[in-house]
Amino acid sequence: MDTDHPDRPIEVVIKLNGRDLGIAIANREREDLKNQKGFGNGRHGFIYRFDYPIPLNLIAEVTVEFLVNRAILPPGPLKITAVKELEVHQASACANQAASSPLLITTMGRSGGTMVMEKVGAHPNVILADVYPYETRILGYYTAAYRALISPSDHDNSLHPDDLVQSNLRLGFNPYFHAEQEWRYNTPEFMYDFFEVVAPGHISQAFFSLVSDYYARRSALAGKSPLYFIEKCGVDDPARYISRVIFPGTRELILLRHPRDVICSQMAFWGTDFRASLMGMATAAEAMMLIKQSVRQDTLFMRYEDIIETPESCGNEVARFLELPLPVDFSSEGRETIRSVHATTKSASASMGRWRQDLSDSQKADCSRILGEYEEFFGYSAC
């Protein structure tokens, strides 16, 4: 509150681990203040909701500062372990015991994800959504729908209540889950409880049934009884956290590759500009490091280079991680089925370290400056 102007709303900045996330306006009514002298109209409360959940098990520091002078609001930084959101939905999600669970192959584009999909998908206890290039993402589609249906309204960029009937070509975030809609309910708590707890429970059950049915039918056609179904996933994909709400048994294999080789492959396969690939890689690299720091038991990091050089060891490691009765066959046999249309080098071994020849000295310097922290973090600095 501004004591000189007690009715004027104050803007605050929300920070996560020292970085600005967004701004909230403290203009919400507080019952404990509205009838007390010296607090003006008492509208000095605020709510800030994270666009994406903080990664599970990551110890995070949340700080709130006054925008005008960047002074920290008391009692100061708050350290939290971000498991709250998953627990809210766990009561409804725990009933979802699938015959098969999701295995997400999370990668930056051109990191070997297609090759890994082919090899893991050939395992007798794993089913794929389709054939090469394995881009049918049934779980990905319904997790995107889940996010839209449970997210608070964004009247500027999404659906407004007045547009609900006229807008028949799109369905945006829930237009009735918004602070401006609190007047429709007896109490604000009713709205938040229903749309944050009750509705997600119903929706997760429905989407669980749909996705499970799809993969059960695919399994029947393939003559398999899989423990996992496998889909590709991006590092910033909402499916990464929403799949864990709908399918508590979700596992995630995160595939790493030397970032400079990734850039070379992107430029060769997609014709991407070096600068665009570098900036995209920088964003993805930051996300990868954050995921690694969360230390999840349901996540396995694996390097593309290790799969090529020590396929048997990697196949056994994946089998242990997924508790499969047989190892995954990462050997080179059969890989040529996709190399002719998907690869940009003559062999898998030639794809490692290609950046030394493909990148100019100035481009290598840019990579060192922008991606150096990532390369060192994942052991690529000396490669």
Side-chain angles (χ1 to χ4, degrees):
M1 185 189 74
D2 183 345
T3 55
D4 294 329
H5 306 279
D7 288 335
R8 181 182 299 173
I10 293 294
E11 292 181 309
V12 295
V13 178
I14 287 75
K15 303 179 70 172
L16 175 64
N17 292 338
R19 299 186 179 184
D20 291 358
L21 283 188
I23 295 174
I25 302 177
N27 61 356
R28 299 175 62 86
E29 186 175 282
R30 282 182 47 169
E31 291 291 334
D32 59 334
L33 298 181
K34 68 178 183 180
N35 295 321
Q36 292 194 34
K37 292 183 179 179
F39 291 97
N41 57 18
R43 302 181 68 87
H44 301 300
F46 69 90
I47 290 179
Y48 180 84
R49 298 184 180 276
F50 295 93
D51 290 336
Y52 293 91
I54 299 171
L56 203 67
N57 296 335
L58 176 65
I59 302 301
E61 184 176 86
V62 178
T63 309
V64 182
E65 299 178 350
F66 290 103
L67 177 63
V68 65
N69 60 6
R70 289 297 182 142
I72 299 176
L73 271 69
L78 172 67
K79 291 202 172 191
I80 60 174
T81 301
V83 297
K84 186 75 173 177
E85 180 159 347
L86 186 62
E87 290 173 351
V88 167
H89 302 303
Q90 200 66 46
S92 61
C94 67
N96 295 348
Q97 298 299 326
S100 57
S101 297
L103 170 59
L104 304 178
I105 304 296
T106 302
T107 109
M108 297 176 276
R110 304 300 301 172
S111 295
T114 300
M115 179 266 291
V116 171
M117 290 279 286
E118 181 195 43
K119 305 309 292 182
V120 178
H123 193 282
N125 297 117
V126 181
I127 189 71
L128 283 161
D130 60 357
V131 295
Y132 172 84
Y134 319 121
E135 299 292 351
T136 298
R137 299 177 56 223
I138 302 301
L139 177 63
Y141 173 76
Y142 283 107
T143 53
Y146 178 94
R147 178 173 179 256
L149 291 171
I150 72 164
S151 293
S153 178
D154 180 350
H155 292 170
D156 293 329
N157 302 303
S158 186
L159 200 64
H160 190 278
D162 296 341
D163 300 329
L164 192 61
V165 176
Q166 292 83 2
S167 182
N168 59 357
L169 295 180
R170 67 187 181 106
L171 184 65
F173 292 172
N174 188 335
Y176 298 105
F177 183 17
H178 193 279
E180 295 176 359
Q181 300 294 318
E182 290 180 0
W183 62 273
R184 295 180 182 273
Y185 312 97
N186 293 334
T187 65
E189 289 73 20
F190 177 93
M191 180 184 74
Y192 292 110
D193 179 69
F194 185 84
F195 290 124
E196 287 186 333
V197 181
V198 177
H202 287 297
I203 297 169
S204 69
Q205 288 284 354
F207 288 173
F208 165 83
S209 298
L210 281 168
V211 175
S212 295
D213 193 0
Y214 175 87
Y215 281 104
R217 293 167 186 259
R218 290 287 305 177
S219 300
L221 290 173
K224 285 187 172 184
S225 298
L227 299 174
Y228 295 94
F229 62 86
I230 182 172
E231 290 194 11
K232 287 182 180 179
C233 189
V235 292
D236 58 350
D237 196 323
R240 290 196 57 254
Y241 58 87
I242 295 176
S243 65
R244 289 174 164 91
V245 174
I246 300 177
F247 289 89
T250 296
R251 295 292 182 269
E252 185 175 16
L253 173 60
I254 298 184
L255 184 61
L256 303 170
R257 185 182 180 185
H258 198 303
R260 304 188 192 194
D261 285 337
V262 174
I263 291 174
C264 293
S265 184
Q266 289 178 350
M267 291 191 297
F269 191 77
W270 293 326
T272 312
D273 174 75
F274 168 77
R275 179 61 55 177
S277 287
L278 179 61
M279 292 300 100
M281 181 61 62
T283 300
E286 185 175 0
M288 284 288 196
M289 290 189 290
L290 189 63
I291 296 170
K292 182 67 172 178
Q293 290 169 344
S294 66
V295 193
R296 297 185 58 99
Q297 297 301 310
D298 61 6
T299 300
L300 175 67
F301 278 80
M302 185 163 287
R303 303 199 325 173
Y304 168 84
E305 293 81 4
D306 294 334
I307 293 175
I308 300 302
E309 294 180 332
T310 58
E312 183 177 353
S313 175
C314 290
N316 290 329
E317 185 177 5
V318 172
R320 286 192 297 269
F321 170 64
L322 299 177
E323 299 181 356
L324 298 175
L326 297 172
V328 173
D329 182 9
F330 281 128
S331 67
S332 59
E333 184 180 354
R335 195 176 298 163
E336 296 305 318
T337 58
I338 63 173
R339 284 203 60 83
S340 60
V341 293
H342 199 77
T344 57
T345 57
K346 293 182 179 180
S347 65
S349 59
S351 68
M352 297 185 296
R354 62 182 297 180
W355 61 269
R356 293 186 176 90
Q357 293 77 37
D358 292 1
L359 297 181
S360 66
D361 290 341
S362 63
Q363 289 173 334
K364 293 174 185 176
D366 286 340
C367 288
S368 296
R369 177 171 52 85
I370 296 176
L371 300 173
E373 181 183 0
Y374 171 85
E375 293 177 345
E376 183 175 358
F377 188 89
F378 286 109
Y380 283 118
S381 56
C383 294

